[in-house]
Amino acid sequence: MIGAAFRVMALSLLRDRAALVMAFVLPTVIFSIFAAIFSGATGDRIRIHLGLADFAHTVATGRLVDALAADPSLRVTRLPATDLDAVAQAVRSGEVDVALVLRGDLIAAPAGDAPGPVDQPVVLVENPAKALATPIALGQLQRVLNEALPDVVLSRIVADVERTGKIGPDERRFLEDAFAEQRARKEPFSFAALVERRSTAAGTANARISYYAGAITAVFLLFAAMQGAMSLVEERETGLTERLMAGPGGLPVVVLGKFGFLTLQGLVQAGLIFLAAALLYGVEIGPHWPAFLTACLLVSAMAAGLALAACALAASRQQAHLASTFGVLLLSAVGGSMVPRFLMPPWLQQAGWLTPNAWAIEAYQSALGEGFAAAAPALAVMGALTLCGLGLALALAARRTA
C-alpha cells in the first residue's frame, strides 16, 4: 500500500508536464536569478552609482576624482553640474544613487586663516529613498582617501596640530614636504595598511552563493511538499479517503507512501539547485559530500513531514492553501530565506530559530563548510521536526481510520 501511494503520486507528477517543470526546473531558475541578484548586492560587491562634481579643480581634488573613478568597487559618473542644486537634482531624479561635491581644496587652510564653508571641502548629496548608498559612499571615500591620498589626510591632521600652537608654519611645511617626498617615492604610509583581512571561507567555496542556495532550497521544498501533501485534503473532500481506509493498513500507510515520494522529490529538487550553484557559481560540494547529502535528505524529509501534518490538520482546501502560501512565506521571511538574518533586528534574528528555514540554512551552511561535526545540531533539529511532523500526520490518519 505504501508503494501504491508512492506510485500514484509519481505518475500524477510525471503525466502533468507543467507540474513537472514547476517542480524541477522552476526552483533552479529562481535560484539562478536570486543568486545573480544577491551575489552582487551584498558585501564588497555592492557597486553604488556615485556622482562626482569637482568645483574646486585643485591638484588634490583632481587626484581624488581620478582615484574614485579608477576604483572597481564604484560606478562613477562625473556630473557636469556647476552648483549644488544641479547635483541635488541629479540625485533626486535617480541619475546617480549618491553624489560627492568637491567644493574646496582638500589641503587644510593655514592656521591664521578664518574658517569658512570650504573647511568642509566635500559635500555628500543623498537621497532618503536610497539610504543604504550613503554609508557605503562615505566608507568608500574614507578608504580611497587613506589608500590613494594618505599625504592629504596627514596634512589635515598636521594642520589641526598647528592650530593648537604646538607646531609653527615652518614645522608644518617640513612635514608636508616629507609626506610629498614619500608619496613621490611611492612608499606606502603605514596607517593606510593598518588592517589585514582574513576570511573564514574554506578553499574556493562561494559561501555567499551557498547561503542563497540553501535559502531557496528551503523555500521550494516547503512549497512543493505542501502542494503534494494537499492530495490528503483532496482525497478527503472527494470521498476517496473512505475507500483508502478500507485497504490494508488504512490511511497511515498512504501517508507513509506520500512521505516517501515527497522526500525523494525534495531530494531531487535540492540536488538540482546545488548542481546549478556548483556549475554556475563554483560552490564546492565535494569535500563534505556525505554531510551535504545528509542535510539534503533531512531537509527534504522535514519539509515532507511538516507539509503532511499541516494538510492533515487542515479542515478544508482553503485552509491548506493558506498554510501553503502565507504560512510558508512567513516562515521563509523570518527564517532568512528572503533576507539574511544578520540584517534583521536582534529580536527577529532570535525568532528566526523558531522556523524550519533557519535550521535548514544552517544545516546546509555547516555541512558544506565544515562537515558533520559542525552540522550536527542543525541536522538533529531537522530530524526532530521530521519525526514530529510525520508522527502528527500518522496519528491524525490513524484516528480517522479508527
Side-chain angles (χ1 to χ4, degrees):
M1 193 67 176
I2 294 176
F6 185 102
R7 185 168 178 272
V8 167
M9 294 193 71
L11 289 175
S12 298
L13 180 63
L14 292 174
R15 289 170 180 169
D16 189 341
R17 292 185 179 180
L20 198 62
V21 169
M22 293 189 69
F24 299 116
V25 177
L26 186 62
T28 306
V29 173
I30 295 296
F31 158 72
S32 300
I33 294 173
F34 270 72
I37 293 172
F38 289 110
S39 65
T42 57
D44 57 4
R45 294 190 62 181
I46 298 179
R47 298 184 69 232
I48 61 170
H49 194 178
L50 177 70
L52 272 181
D54 186 2
F55 295 169
H57 297 291
T58 66
V59 174
T61 59
R63 288 173 56 200
L64 178 59
V65 169
D66 292 340
L68 288 170
D71 194 288
S73 62
L74 294 170
R75 290 182 296 143
V76 175
T77 295
R78 302 193 186 193
L79 301 174
T82 57
D83 55 39
L84 282 172
D85 290 337
V87 174
Q89 178 58 34
V91 176
R92 189 181 301 111
S93 64
E95 182 180 345
V96 293
D97 299 327
V98 65
L100 293 175
V101 178
L102 309 180
R103 61 177 178 179
D105 195 2
L106 300 177
I107 303 297
D113 292 2
V118 291
D119 282 350
Q120 288 182 301
V122 182
V123 179
L124 184 139
V125 182
E126 60 182 325
N127 185 344
K130 300 177 180 179
L132 183 61
T134 298
I136 293 174
L138 289 173
Q140 298 286 33
L141 172 62
Q142 190 65 53
R143 180 182 60 80
V144 170
L145 282 171
N146 287 341
E147 292 179 355
L149 288 84
D151 54 313
V152 173
V153 176
L154 288 172
S155 72
R156 294 188 68 86
I157 296 173
V158 170
D160 291 338
V161 177
E162 182 190 10
R163 290 191 182 95
T164 66
K166 300 298 183 181
I167 63 173
D170 293 338
E171 289 86 353
R172 175 182 173 178
R173 279 193 296 271
F174 172 78
L175 291 172
E176 289 181 345
D177 290 342
F179 298 153
E181 288 179 10
Q182 187 169 350
R183 179 174 63 85
R185 292 195 301 266
K186 296 183 179 180
E187 294 179 358
F189 288 74
S190 59
F191 81 94
L194 193 63
V195 178
E196 177 191 357
R197 294 178 61 176
R198 293 196 180 187
S199 174
T200 59
T204 60
N206 193 332
R208 184 184 297 117
I209 297 300
S210 67
Y211 174 90
Y212 287 108
I216 296 298
T217 298
V219 176
F220 268 100
L221 261 57
L222 285 170
F223 270 124
M226 285 297 299
Q227 292 301 314
M230 218 173 294
S231 60
L232 283 175
V233 182
E234 295 171 354
E235 291 164 357
R236 192 162 63 238
E237 291 183 344
T238 58
L240 184 59
T241 298
E242 284 73 15
R243 297 172 61 185
L244 293 173
M245 288 167 56
L251 279 182
V253 293
V254 175
V255 171
L256 286 174
K258 293 179 184 293
F259 173 77
F261 173 79
L262 293 176
T263 300
L264 180 60
Q265 175 183 269
L267 197 59
V268 175
Q269 288 176 322
L272 289 174
I273 290 175
F274 276 94
L275 178 63
L279 295 177
L280 298 178
Y281 297 98
V283 172
E284 288 186 345
I285 297 174
H288 301 292
W289 66 267
F292 167 72
L293 288 180
T294 304
C296 286
L297 178 62
L298 287 177
V299 172
S300 302
M302 174 275 299
L306 292 182
L308 288 168
C311 289
L313 285 169
S316 65
R317 186 176 179 83
Q318 288 74 16
Q319 289 183 10
H321 268 299
L322 284 173
S324 68
T325 51
F326 293 106
V328 173
L329 285 175
L330 180 61
L331 292 175
S332 301
V334 177
S337 286
M338 298 180 180
V339 178
R341 287 174 50 248
F342 73 87
L343 297 175
M344 300 178 184
W347 68 270
L348 199 54
Q349 293 184 32
Q350 296 302 316
W353 291 118
L354 300 177
T355 69
N357 298 67
W359 288 104
I361 295 170
E362 180 69 16
Y364 282 124
Q365 287 283 94
S366 301
L368 287 173
E370 301 179 56
F372 274 114
L379 295 177
V381 173
M382 291 292 97
L385 288 174
T386 300
L387 293 176
C388 290
L390 181 59
L392 179 59
L394 290 173
L396 291 172
R399 189 169 67 179
R400 287 193 176 93
T401 302

